[in-house]
Amino acid sequence: MLPLGRRNLTVEDGYALGFVVGNATQLRALSLAHNPSLTADGVLPIAAAIAQCPHLSELDLSDTAMLRGETMTGDGSPHRLHPQLDRLEVRCLSVLSDSLRKTKVTSLAVGGVGMGARELHLLAPAWSAVAYGDAPLRLSHLRLGHNKLGDDGAAELARSLARVGSLTVLDLQANRIGCAGAAALAALLETSPRLHVLSLRANRVSSTGAAALAQGCLLAERISWLDLGLNPVGVGGDAGLRRLSTCLATGAAPRLERLSLDGSGLAARHRQWLREAHAARDALSERFGLVPLEVVMVVLQQR
C-alpha cells in the first residue's frame, strides 16, 4: 500500500510519483486523498503509471485538485483559462479511465474533485465498456461524494453501472441530485444484485424522488442502508413518505437495516406513518425473519 494522503503533494511530486508508481508493479492500494495542491498536471503522470500496476485494487483520489486547476505555474495568481485547463483535465480523466481497465481496482474514490456529468462521462468507461481487449472494472465500492453530478450525472452514472453486478457500496452524497436523478438511480436497487449501501445524503431529493426510490426497494434484495438524510423528502407532497412507509410495512427490501431520513423536513404525520410502518414490519420480522430495521428521523448529535 502507498498511503500518500494529506502530504501536501504538489505537481512536481506528481511527476516523481509517476515514476515510483510505474515501477511498483505489485502495488495493491494507492491513496492520494486530501492533497489540494495536486492538480491535473500532477495527477496525469500517476494516472498513466497506474496501467503498470495490474494488482492495484484500491485507488483514492478524493479531495485533490485534479479537476479544479485554478492556478497556473508561474506567478501563482488565479486564472481560469478554460481552453488550456479543460484540455488538461480531459486528458487526465481519459488516461485514468484507460489505465484503470488494466488494473483490478474494486474500490474507487474520486470525491470532492468538482466532477460533473461531462467529467463522469470520460471516467465511466473504466467500469462500463470493453476497450482494446481490456475488461471493465468489477467495482464493489464507488465513492463520488461531494461533487456536482446533478441529475444529468446521476442518470449517466446509472446507465454506466447497469451491468456492474459486483457493486456493493455507492456513495453519492452532496452531489446536487434531485428527483430526476434519484429516479434514474432507483433502477440500480433492482438491477444491482449485491448493492448493500446507497447514500444520497445532502442532495435535493424531495417527495417525488423518494417515491421512485421506494419503488426500487420493492425488488431490492440486498440493500441494507438507504441514506436519504438532509434531503427535502418531506417537501412537495406526501407521496414519497407514503410509498416508503408502505414498502416498509409490507416487508420490501428484507435486508434493510437502516433508513436515514434525519434532517429531511418530516412533518408529524410523516413520522407517525413511519412509526406505524416500523411496527408492522416488526410483526412481519417475527414471522418471516426480516432483518431488524432502524429508521433515523432525528439528526444525531456528534460528540
Side-chain angles (χ1 to χ4, degrees):
M1 181 175 182
L2 195 56
L4 297 173
R6 302 183 188 276
R7 299 295 181 91
N8 296 318
L9 299 179
T10 64
V11 171
E12 289 75 13
D13 295 320
Y15 298 151
L17 283 171
F19 176 79
V20 173
V21 171
N23 286 277
T25 56
Q26 299 301 312
L27 185 65
R28 284 173 166 76
L30 173 61
S31 174
L32 299 171
H34 303 287
N35 282 293
S37 297
L38 193 60
T39 53
D41 44 350
V43 174
L44 181 57
I46 302 171
I50 286 170
Q52 307 303 317
C53 303
H55 302 289
L56 188 68
S57 61
E58 298 180 26
L59 178 62
D60 190 348
L61 296 171
S62 298
D63 297 301
T64 60
M66 61 180 288
L67 299 180
R68 295 180 307 209
E70 296 179 353
T71 61
M72 299 294 288
T73 303
D75 60 8
S77 59
H79 299 279
R80 189 57 184 171
L81 304 178
H82 290 281
Q84 293 183 30
L85 292 174
D86 285 356
R87 282 199 298 270
L88 186 58
E89 292 170 358
V90 166
R91 176 65 176 160
C92 183
L93 283 172
S94 299
V95 169
L96 178 60
S97 181
D98 290 342
S99 293
L100 282 171
R101 284 195 295 268
K102 301 181 186 302
T103 71
K104 294 181 180 178
V105 166
T106 58
S107 178
L108 178 63
V110 196
V113 298
M115 183 183 300
R118 184 190 70 163
E119 292 82 7
L120 177 68
H121 181 76
L122 295 170
L123 182 61
W127 58 78
S128 65
V130 175
Y132 311 114
D134 298 316
L137 297 178
R138 292 183 56 81
L139 285 177
S140 61
H141 292 64
L142 182 58
R143 303 184 185 279
L144 300 176
H146 299 279
N147 281 306
K148 50 182 182 180
L149 295 180
D151 286 339
D152 290 342
E156 174 81 21
L157 183 62
R159 286 191 294 269
S160 72
L161 291 171
R163 297 184 180 181
V164 182
S166 55
L167 191 67
T168 61
V169 175
L170 180 58
D171 179 3
L172 297 174
Q173 60 181 306
N175 257 295
R176 308 178 187 178
I177 296 172
C179 292
L185 292 166
L188 292 178
L189 292 171
E190 303 178 24
T191 60
S192 298
R194 300 182 183 180
L195 187 61
H196 288 272
V197 178
L198 175 58
S199 176
L200 289 170
R201 189 172 190 81
N203 278 289
R204 301 171 180 176
V205 181
S206 61
S207 178
T208 305
L213 289 165
Q215 184 66 28
C217 283
L218 292 175
L219 296 176
E221 294 293 327
R222 296 292 187 95
I223 192 74
S224 60
W225 183 12
L226 178 59
D227 190 353
L228 296 176
L230 303 181
N231 279 279
V233 175
V235 178
D238 293 337
L241 273 305
R242 278 286 194 191
R243 187 71 61 84
L244 276 173
S245 298
T246 300
C247 286
L248 297 179
T250 55
R255 300 191 184 186
L256 188 64
E257 298 178 4
R258 187 180 181 94
L259 173 62
S260 299
L261 291 166
D262 51 306
S264 295
L266 303 183
R269 63 184 181 280
H270 300 148
R271 297 173 186 272
Q272 182 61 31
W273 297 342
L274 289 166
R275 283 192 287 267
E276 292 172 356
H278 194 279
R281 190 179 182 90
D282 282 345
L284 288 176
S285 297
E286 298 176 2
R287 295 175 56 189
F288 300 107
L290 301 182
V291 173
L293 172 66
E294 176 187 13
V295 180
V296 180
M297 294 184 280
V298 179
V299 177
L300 300 178
Q301 298 294 324
Q302 294 184 353
R303 295 181 179 179

